[in-house]
Amino acid sequence: EADIYQTPRYLVIGTGKKITLECSQTMGHDKMYWYQQDPGMELHLIHYSYGVNSTEKGDLSSESTVSRIRTEHFPLTLESARPSHTSQYLCASRPTGWTEAFFGQGTRLTVV
Amino acid sequence: KQEVTQIPAALSVPEGENLVLNCSFTDSAIYNLQWFRQDPGKGLTSLLLIQSSQREQTSGRLNASLDKSSGRSTLYIAASQPGDSATYLCAVRGSFWDSSYKLIFGSGTRLLVRP
């Protein structure tokens, strides 16, 4: 079983609040990813990281930001939450090479 | 631009049936293809990973095949059980340097296995 954890699992928050979604993995993987998934829809990559101090934006435009100060930690931050940010956010990691990706359990965010 | 399609979008079968889920992709230049399972409101669980040089992979009642030249993969589930009910997603990883960092997902097949 993959050791990748997301917190919180569920979050309901008011418009305008700043939030940080946490993602941690204990496998020493250098590649980490954030995907956004609306109910019944495809996963879309919003951020990824090749390693410490390396972050890039994904295919789907997002108002969120990420940081990678430590290998095991890849938090995602929304400075001012809006109802349009309501979605499920999935974190993933994998080691370098032609290897499989492992996903966390996701954070379901609702902005009211 | 790589596009991944999964057919059917939804499938309902009685317990015990063998079934096939389909995944197609438009660009055959891939590193690998991965099948995932997603339970409602949960994250993704990796089921099988097939490298571009492989034709199939097996794990228990699951068998995944890959035909890279035709851009197709199938996931075969033998003797389906109600516990198999979930959404099944396939994802491909591109082989070019500018696409190899990410997985491109299909929209999934929602499977319901009726007792």
Side-chain angles (χ1 to χ4, degrees), chain B residues 24-66:
Chain B
S24 61
F25 45 95
T26 54
D27 186 349
S28 61
I30 64 169
Y31 263 155
N32 54 41
L33 183 146
Q34 194 168 353
W35 281 94
F36 294 90
R37 168 187 173 138
Q38 186 176 31
D39 293 293
K42 301 288 183 62
L44 278 66
T45 300
S46 178
L47 297 174
L48 289 163
L49 172 73
I50 310 178
Q51 302 294 352
S52 60
S53 57
Q54 296 176 320
R55 299 283 292 186
E56 65 179 295
Q57 283 285 337
T58 298
S59 176
R61 294 182 295 108
L62 305 179
N63 176 277
S65 67
L66 175 64

Side-chain angles (χ1 to χ4, degrees), chain A residues 36 45-47 57-64:
Chain A
Q36 184 174 345
L45 181 68
I46 52 174
H47 296 283
K57 289 188 178 295
D59 299 324
L60 184 67
S61 176
S62 173
E63 293 167 345
S64 59

Side-chain angles (χ1 to χ4, degrees), chain A residues 8-55:
Chain A
R9 288 292 313 281
Y10 304 94
L11 180 62
V12 180
I13 200 164
T15 298
K17 299 292 186 183
K18 177 181 178 178
I19 57 172
T20 297
L21 308 185
E22 303 287 350
C23 176
S24 296
Q25 49 95 7
T26 59
M27 298 171 283
H29 293 170
D30 49 358
K31 311 289 194 293
M32 294 190 74
Y33 307 84
W34 277 103
Y35 285 84
Q36 184 174 345
Q37 184 185 32
D38 292 326
M41 303 298 286
E42 299 168 22
L43 278 77
H44 292 285
L45 181 68
I46 52 174
H47 296 283
Y48 63 100
S49 169
Y50 284 125
V52 172
N53 295 325
S54 159
T55 62

